[in-house]
Amino acid sequence: MNQKITINTLKEMKEEGIKIACLTSYDACFAKLQDKAGVDLLLVGDSLGMVLQGDDNTLKVTISDMIYHSRLVSGVTQRAIIVSDMPFMSYSTPAQALGNAARLVSEGGAHVVKIEGGDELSQTVRLITQHGIPVCGHLGLTPQSIHQIGGFGVQAVSNKAAKELEKDALSLQEAGASCLVLECVPSSTAASVTKLLDIPVIGIGAGIYCDGQVLVLHDMLGLTPKQPKFSKNFLSGNDSIFDAIEEYVNQVKNNSFPTPSNSYE
Ligand code: KIV
């Protein structure tokens, strides 16, 4: 598929059962390779606080950082859709969220903005989307709440928590979200949410049944000292970074990644 990817394309891919291959992207050099290798969605993630800036979490990332990195990625990308994270405390009120989302689009070149949280954000999602900016939700492990969650572990494990997650996901969809990232939740829970929603669900550590997969680029290139269980080193066995990224895209598309060993039950 060589056509430019939009939120409509993502929805059609869900409807047609075509898996959506996504990776984080932070600069022009890698973005060019990723776009050429067929990655459908480039996520300018606030994980750049850990991956590029060397922090233990994402909390020091600023809106200026996100605009800067979004601009580097959007400047060279021809096909993939670009989703940019709104960083910690940049969307604490609907009005603040709208102002910062607008900057990510107009200054950074983002096509979609991503925010972490559930039903409590429905007013914010509604306001941003009413102004013509698509929103991606993010549920499960939400790294901006790391101090409240208490660690980077698997989420929504109990039946009650899984039901809450479903409610939050429906509420985001109802408010106008165009897609949803589900991070570190049991495969069965992710499968139920994916079936429940009309919008595409992109998993990371959420099993094979999501509509698409996302990984942190530096994890899947084996550059992170401790590889998370849900990731895989695609550079190992490949001769180049381009080949590694292309293999990731192929494995997502033909359902050979993730395996049960990259997932939680
Ligand atoms: O910031 C990020 O890279 C993310 C992914 C882990 C989904 O939000």
Side-chain angles (χ1 to χ4, degrees):
M1 202 191 283
N2 281 325
Q3 83 195 62
K4 180 131 190 54
I5 308 279
T6 67
I7 53 166
N8 298 334
T9 325
L10 298 181
K11 188 102 186 289
E12 282 160 24
M13 289 169 84
K14 176 178 179 117
E15 282 158 12
E16 290 167 23
I18 301 168
K19 295 280 174 153
I20 304 165
C22 321
L23 282 175
T24 65
S25 189
Y26 315 108
D27 66 40
C29 172
F30 282 110
K32 245 190 236 175
L33 284 180
Q34 292 171 307
D35 197 38
K36 203 161 160 229
V39 180
D40 301 306
L41 182 156
L42 296 181
L43 171 63
V44 186
D46 62 355
S47 51
L48 67 85
M50 301 168 81
V51 176
L52 303 187
Q53 297 172 342
D55 286 321
D56 290 340
N57 56 50
T58 59
L59 303 180
K60 291 191 193 129
V61 177
T62 64
I63 190 72
S64 306
D65 293 334
M66 294 310 304
I67 291 168
Y68 173 73
H69 288 280
S70 298
R71 190 162 54 74
L72 300 185
V73 170
S74 67
V76 298
T77 303
Q78 294 185 344
R79 176 182 170 272
I81 188 167
I82 299 165
V83 178
S84 294
D85 261 334
M86 300 200 61
F88 182 58
M89 284 299 146
S90 68
Y91 51 101
S92 54
T93 65
Q96 183 204 25
L98 179 61
N100 283 323
R103 291 192 66 195
L104 281 173
V105 172
S106 62
E107 297 173 47
H111 304 133
V112 180
V113 298
K114 177 162 83 59
I115 55 180
E116 297 181 5
D119 181 57
E120 72 283 2
L121 289 176
S122 53
Q123 209 192 328
T124 300
V125 173
R126 204 161 277 125
L127 185 69
I128 298 176
T129 53
Q130 275 168 353
H131 283 80
I133 301 174
V135 173
C136 177
H138 184 152
L139 292 170
L141 176 62
T142 46
Q144 290 174 17
S145 312
I146 192 65
H147 296 314
Q148 199 168 37
I149 297 171
F152 289 100
V154 60
Q155 303 295 307
V157 175
S158 68
N159 278 343
K160 185 166 173 263
K163 286 282 157 224
E164 274 303 307
L165 185 79
E166 286 183 6
K167 253 175 58 193
D168 280 330
L170 277 173
S171 172
L172 291 170
Q173 172 173 280
E174 163 76 26
S178 296
C179 50
L180 174 71
V181 166
L182 261 192
E183 181 166 354
C184 283
V185 299
S187 304
S188 54
T189 309
S192 312
V193 174
T194 304
K195 213 164 151 203
L196 192 65
L197 297 190
D198 298 326
I199 58 172
V201 175
I202 312 296
I204 173 164
I208 190 82
Y209 302 110
C210 298
D211 301 307
Q213 301 292 329
V214 61
L215 285 180
V216 170
L217 174 70
H218 293 58
D219 288 345
M220 57 80 74
L221 292 178
L223 295 171
T224 318
K226 193 170 172 284
Q227 184 80 250
K229 167 188 161 76
F230 54 76
S231 192
K232 173 176 161 181
N233 181 349
F234 283 85
L235 189 56
S236 144
N238 274 303
D239 289 338
S240 69
I241 289 173
F242 182 84
D243 288 353
I245 295 171
E246 208 172 43
E247 185 177 338
Y248 166 74
V249 171
N250 289 338
Q251 289 200 12
V252 169
K253 300 273 178 197
N254 68 23
N255 279 318
S256 45
F257 178 82
T259 62
S261 68
N262 309 117
S263 311
Y264 302 97
E265 291 319 315

